[in-house]
Amino acid sequence: MGYHPMVLSQFSIYLEDIGMCHFLVILLIAASNLNIEAGRTDWSEEKNPSFWNEQARLDIEYNLRRTENKRTAKNVIFFLGDGMGISTVTAGRIRKGQMLGQLGEDFITEMEQFSHLGLAKTYCTDHQTSDSAATATALLCGVKAALGTIGLDGRALRGNCLSSHGHHASSIFKWAQQLGYHIGIVVTSRVSHASPASGYAHSPERNWEGYDSINFGAKEVAEGCVDIAQQLVRRSPPIDLVLGGGRRFFYPTQTPDIANSSLRGTRTDNVSLIDDIWKGRFIWNKTDLHKIELGSSEPILGLFHYDQMRFEADRIQDPKEEPSLSEMATFAVKHLLQKSQDKNGFFLFVEGSRIDHGHHNTQPRYALDDYVEFDNTIGQIKHILQDKGVLDDTLLVVTSDHSNVFSFGAGSARGSNIFGFGTLDNGNVSSIDKMPVNIITYGNGPNFASNRNKTYLDSLDFNQTGYRAPAALPLADASHAGEDVAVFAHGPWSHLFIGVMEQSTIAHKMAYAACWGDYKKRKGCA
């Protein structure tokens, strides 16, 4: 369901004879705090100017009643949609609405209900268009750094172990733990992947995820570096809760994977990080996840896939023992709330990791369905916080690390299948080859020079996960894009997240709201 934020406390609405607005008014009165139905199945009521006049009036009233929440944030939940550029947010909005039988364009997602909105610049110190390692370092450590580096400042050189010594950047994970707050990570990538690793590891190369003697081996160890997976299990104090994929970097080559004996670990140092080093509880399936007592004291490491977790569109067809992002994240929130009930709160990092991977493959169904699951997760967490009475004490921030070269358009008619062709009229048929025009395209990628004959175009099933949208330039994987990304914020000090900002300021603003790190003694902190 889609809801609009402009109806907060809108109880003084005058009933007017304006057709569809009677329905809106009823919902306004019944709505709780943040919620009102917004999706439409047809656009006939939009022909009447009074419809748009009322929409504008409600928007103005909401903004006039907006207040600033200056409480100290007890909890901070940071949602990262990897590769979730503004075009993905818009197309994801349409996809989510259409999955519910609506037109889609007017749908309002969970993140769009947040009270404040800004834009973040995603460049890094040495690249105009960045990657997840450098951008996540900016987001979690508050400093911009070089492409491919994790948890280091800009003086470190990519792939150079010696250059990393003395240039570690502390993260918001550390700032929170130093003051007794609990911390958690929930991702659908490998837990040693660039985004989550930037919060707990220090590595001049994002590909040093494990000791595999290919990317990382004896040379790097001799120079004083430690692979990322090992940094995670050796971290002291440990992270309270880590859920995601990537078992292969935690087990040696002679150990069969616990869920698929045809696969083996990739560590060549003969070390099992789980059996030999990890001191907490280890789980690998959904059944074990739900057996855990909420608030239990021992740290939890859950690795639910040998590699990256599956795309949501595949997982939902055959879930087996692999939990969804929303299942992992809602468990994490309940668990951390229980652990924090008698003391300080928590910081939780939640990433919809595979939005980016769908875009790299030029497979929009994978990317947008993972976006929908990411947005659903935000909504479910928000309702948990409401039910527990802690929503107003929790800062929620949603953003992306970078965009991708994903675009949509083609003059498509209202309600057109977002994965399909533009309306087959003169404006959406190519004047060059007289063939229909795809709504979704990529600036570059593996489906370069896609076939344009009628037989091929007629054979396309746009709704299949394997469908690849056409790309303008040839690359093995579609690249990232360099434009700014949206920042949505709600809760204590969310008004700090407005305007155009450097991506590196986001960690500082979250810390300011919670009185962590350099801001623990700012005015207003206990």
Side-chain angles (χ1 to χ4, degrees):
M1 301 293 284
Y3 302 101
H4 203 288
M6 65 184 182
V7 298
L8 275 169
S9 305
Q10 300 283 342
F11 296 107
S12 59
I13 304 300
Y14 296 100
L15 286 169
E16 298 175 350
D17 188 14
I18 49 177
M20 187 62 184
C21 286
H22 278 302
F23 179 59
L24 283 172
V25 169
I26 293 170
L27 284 171
L28 285 169
I29 297 172
S32 65
N33 218 22
L34 296 175
N35 299 330
I36 186 169
E37 174 71 24
R40 296 190 281 280
T41 56
D42 71 80
W43 49 275
S44 57
E45 72 264 24
E46 297 177 5
K47 298 177 183 179
N48 190 334
S50 63
F51 175 87
W52 299 110
N53 294 338
E54 180 65 3
Q55 291 278 314
R57 186 179 70 80
L58 293 173
D59 188 284
I60 291 168
E61 284 198 12
Y62 165 71
N63 282 287
L64 289 174
R65 297 186 183 194
R66 187 195 301 267
T67 58
E68 294 180 347
N69 181 345
K70 293 186 178 182
R71 303 183 187 190
T72 298
K74 181 176 182 181
N75 312 304
V76 179
I77 305 178
F78 182 43
F79 300 93
L80 187 67
D82 198 316
M84 188 187 71
I86 293 175
S87 57
T88 299
V89 174
T90 309
R93 172 200 307 152
I94 295 171
R95 170 62 176 162
K96 189 170 182 180
Q98 292 181 349
M99 290 172 75
L100 295 170
Q102 301 170 10
L103 293 169
E105 295 85 1
D106 63 293
F107 189 82
I108 298 173
T109 61
E110 298 289 348
M111 65 185 72
E112 291 170 323
Q113 297 171 43
F114 283 21
S115 58
H116 293 89
L117 173 65
L119 291 172
K121 302 176 184 180
T122 62
Y123 70 91
C124 62
T125 57
D126 59 349
H127 279 72
Q128 188 177 78
T129 299
S130 193
D131 77 328
S132 295
T135 53
T137 296
L139 289 164
L140 295 173
C141 301
V143 296
K144 294 216 172 193
L147 191 84
T149 63
I150 286 174
L152 301 172
D153 64 38
R155 293 170 290 182
L157 305 176
R158 182 172 188 177
N160 186 320
C161 176
L162 296 177
S163 75
S164 68
H165 299 321
H167 298 147
H168 290 188
S170 65
S171 78
I172 196 167
F173 289 12
K174 182 176 182 179
W175 307 339
Q177 278 192 312
Q178 285 176 331
L179 295 174
Y181 287 76
H182 298 291
I183 58 173
I185 294 174
V186 175
V187 297
T188 51
S189 66
R190 298 185 295 268
V191 298
S192 54
H193 209 244
S195 298
S198 296
Y200 64 79
H202 308 285
S203 176
E205 175 52 64
R206 60 178 292 172
N207 294 318
W208 292 358
E209 293 187 59
Y211 193 119
D212 58 5
S213 297
I214 299 172
N215 296 299
F216 183 95
K219 174 181 178 294
E220 288 72 31
V221 171
E223 292 178 344
C225 282
V226 179
D227 65 88
I228 294 169
Q230 188 165 174
Q231 289 187 56
L232 174 59
V233 297
R234 288 190 180 278
R235 192 176 192 278
S236 181
I239 298 172
D240 295 282
L241 176 72
V242 180
L243 305 177
R247 287 190 297 266
R248 67 188 183 99
F249 288 118
F250 291 79
Y251 287 102
T253 54
Q254 57 266 44
T255 303
D257 182 63
I258 195 168
N260 185 346
S261 60
S262 67
L263 302 172
R264 293 183 178 271
T266 58
R267 298 191 67 86
T268 56
D269 59 357
N270 198 31
V271 175
S272 170
L273 301 184
I274 302 301
D275 299 322
D276 301 337
I277 300 176
W278 176 244
K279 303 302 182 184
R281 182 169 182 173
F282 173 71
I283 58 172
W284 65 274
N285 60 62
K286 183 163 58 175
T287 299
D288 286 346
L289 176 67
H290 293 300
K291 289 180 179 178
I292 295 173
E293 180 184 354
L294 293 177
S296 54
S297 60
E298 63 181 338
I300 299 165
L301 175 59
L303 301 178
F304 302 108
H305 200 281
Y306 174 77
D307 197 57
Q308 317 278 18
M309 296 181 71
R310 288 181 293 168
F311 288 109
E312 179 61 15
D314 289 341
R315 190 207 65 83
I316 201 169
Q317 297 301 319
D318 184 19
K320 296 182 179 177
E321 282 290 333
E322 184 177 339
S324 65
L325 177 65
S326 56
E327 287 178 287
M328 294 189 293
T330 53
F331 169 84
V333 170
K334 293 174 183 177
H335 181 68
L336 293 172
L337 281 172
Q338 188 69 25
K339 287 178 73 72
S340 306
Q341 62 178 345
D342 297 326
K343 53 182 71 175
N344 294 329
F346 65 85
F347 175 83
L348 176 63
F349 174 76
V350 178
E351 184 186 45
S353 316
R354 306 219 64 199
I355 300 168
D356 179 60
H357 300 162
H359 283 322
H360 281 311
N361 298 335
T362 64
Q363 293 176 304
R365 170 74 190 281
Y366 278 142
L368 296 188
D369 282 13
D370 265 50
Y371 167 86
V372 170
E373 172 63 9
F374 178 64
D375 191 63
N376 288 340
T377 300
I378 295 168
Q380 291 179 40
I381 287 176
K382 185 177 67 179
H383 289 303
I384 291 171
L385 298 172
Q386 285 177 316
D387 291 342
K388 298 293 185 180
V390 295
L391 181 61
D392 288 342
D393 295 311
T394 304
L395 173 63
L396 306 174
V397 179
V398 180
T399 190
S400 180
D401 46 358
H402 54 73
S403 182
N404 286 76
V405 289
F406 164 85
S407 64
F408 75 98
S412 47
R414 187 74 180 275
S416 296
N417 178 358
I418 188 65
F419 300 122
F421 290 130
T423 313
L424 298 182
D425 57 29
N426 290 337
N428 296 302
V429 174
S430 171
S431 60
I432 297 174
D433 64 9
K434 311 304 179 186
M435 292 289 109
V437 179
N438 300 68
I439 293 174
I440 290 176
T441 59
Y442 286 83
N444 54 54
N447 199 23
F448 169 72
S450 61
N451 205 321
R452 292 284 296 166
N453 64 62
K454 185 176 187 302
T455 301
Y456 170 74
L457 295 178
D458 286 345
S459 72
L460 293 176
D461 184 348
F462 300 111
N463 295 312
Q464 286 296 314
T465 56
Y467 164 68
R468 293 182 188 269
L473 295 172
L475 282 180
D477 297 301
S479 73
H480 296 162
E483 74 268 19
D484 298 350
V485 294
V487 183
F488 304 89
H490 189 88
W493 297 94
S494 60
H495 53 283
L496 297 178
F497 298 84
I498 60 172
V500 179
M501 68 196 79
E502 292 289 356
Q503 195 170 46
S504 53
T505 66
I506 291 174
H508 293 271
K509 291 173 180 178
M510 291 189 292
Y512 184 94
C515 297
W516 297 340
D518 290 343
Y519 308 98
K520 62 185 178 183
K521 294 183 179 180
R522 69 160 175 85
K523 183 179 179 181
C525 295

